Amino acid sequence: MQTITVNTASGAYPVFIGSGIASEFPSYVNERFKGRRCALITNPTIDGIYSSYIDVLKNELNCVVHTIPDGEKYKTVETWNGIIDALITFGLDRKSLLIAFGGGVVGDVVGFAAACFMRGIDYVQIPTTLLAMVDSSVGGKTAVDHPLGKNLIGAFHQPAAVWADVNFLETLPRRQFIAGYAEAFKYAFLGGRAMFDFMECNKAAVLGGGSDLLLECIERCVRIKAGIVARDEREAGVRALLNFGHTFAHALERFYGFEGLLHGEAVLWGIACAVSLAKETGALPRNYWGDFDEILQGMPLPPLPSAPWIDEIYAAMFADKKAESGQLRFVMPVAPGEAEASYAVGEENVRQVLKEKFAHWLPE
Ligand SMILES: NC(=O)c1ccc[n+]([C@@H]2O[C@H](COP(=O)([O-])OP(=O)(O)OC[C@H]3O[C@@H](n4cnc5c(N)ncnc54)[C@H](O)[C@@H]3O)[C@@H](O)[C@H]2O)c1
């Protein structure tokens, strides 16, 4: 088992990563949070697959269980309110501990409930998707969606610990695995040359899942994210790099009405677009183009639900909360493993990239 410490201004916490480590979780909680009441929050999918593990937690911890509906469309104030109702009904108090058992949706909404209940209580994350292991469970961003936009209501609230057991990925549907891979792949472009080379050399093995290299990939991603969060907990600077590929991705998700394309799938397209934009604008020197062509080769770009419209996708970029004062911010690679954020990208460059990437969809 690897332990990575995330140091933030609001405290330090461990991320435990390994294979089969979930069995050690109850004794960890009993030792570190001795005598505290716990509420485990999960969804019916996880509850169905891992009911025997949940029974173990119920028996070994002073633990009640509350389930929330499965899916991004339930990452809402109503679901958050249902959790708060349950915590009050169960009689939990300021010393109680929440356990988020699931993917990024469960983690985000439970984290936000923990941030608000009794003005903030402890919570731990047991991520069960690749996306949640490499990204959402670490860093303390918690939120629910608003009908007018994703993650518009939320708080920064760091977990007390994260337990990432790769064995949970064995039951994860392939499509969800690839969506999580996108967020791991992203670190190749901002985590330094060593990470770029690691992802380039091992992409097939990591994508294949189930290998020690997948475990190593998760560890590397968490280390990079922990380093970034330690420097910039509240996204005032360097943390913005984690949005690599996301300006394009969010616009695509919005264009498709948040249906038909998973977030990570949109991120894969976003990464491809961000690299093209860096070439187009000159941000990425020509001597690196070969390296980038190589790493992008074989990237599992998913099919799009329907023909993309360049005008609408471009307009959708301005609806994103990452567009500040009407200015678009793009994170672009400048060298293998290095990226920079820029507000100075011309509309014609962005349109050119969209045209080039989606050329086969456009009328002759
Ligand atoms: N807080 C952050 O920093 C951050 C970062 C990135 C993404 N996010 C958020 O994460 C969310 C996406 O997370 P996600 O991709 O994990 O989606 P998700 O939580 O919706 O999980 C995807 C699907 O897989 C199922 N599932 C989860 N684990 C499983 C397992 N082990 N076996 C079988 N099925 C399993 C879930 O029930 C769900 O149906 C989005 O809401 C996004 O905004 C947050």
Side-chain angles (χ1 to χ4, degrees), residues 43-46 49-50 70-72 75 102-108 125 127-133 135-143 145 150-151 167-173 176 179-180 183 186 225 239 246 250 253 262-264:
N43 70 30
T45 309
I46 304 294
I49 304 173
Y50 294 106
D70 186 1
E72 180 74 33
K75 197 175 127 179
V105 168
V106 170
D108 276 13
Q125 299 253 22
T128 59
T129 62
L130 181 55
L131 181 140
M133 289 181 193
D135 202 354
S136 62
S137 65
V138 176
K141 273 192 183 179
T142 74
D145 300 334
K150 271 188 65 156
N151 296 326
N167 287 6
F168 288 125
L169 300 181
E170 284 169 16
T171 56
L172 188 68
Q176 295 291 349
E183 297 287 4
K186 162 185 95 178
K225 180 150 189 190
R239 191 165 179 173
H246 283 60
H250 287 158
E253 283 182 279
L262 297 174
H263 172 70

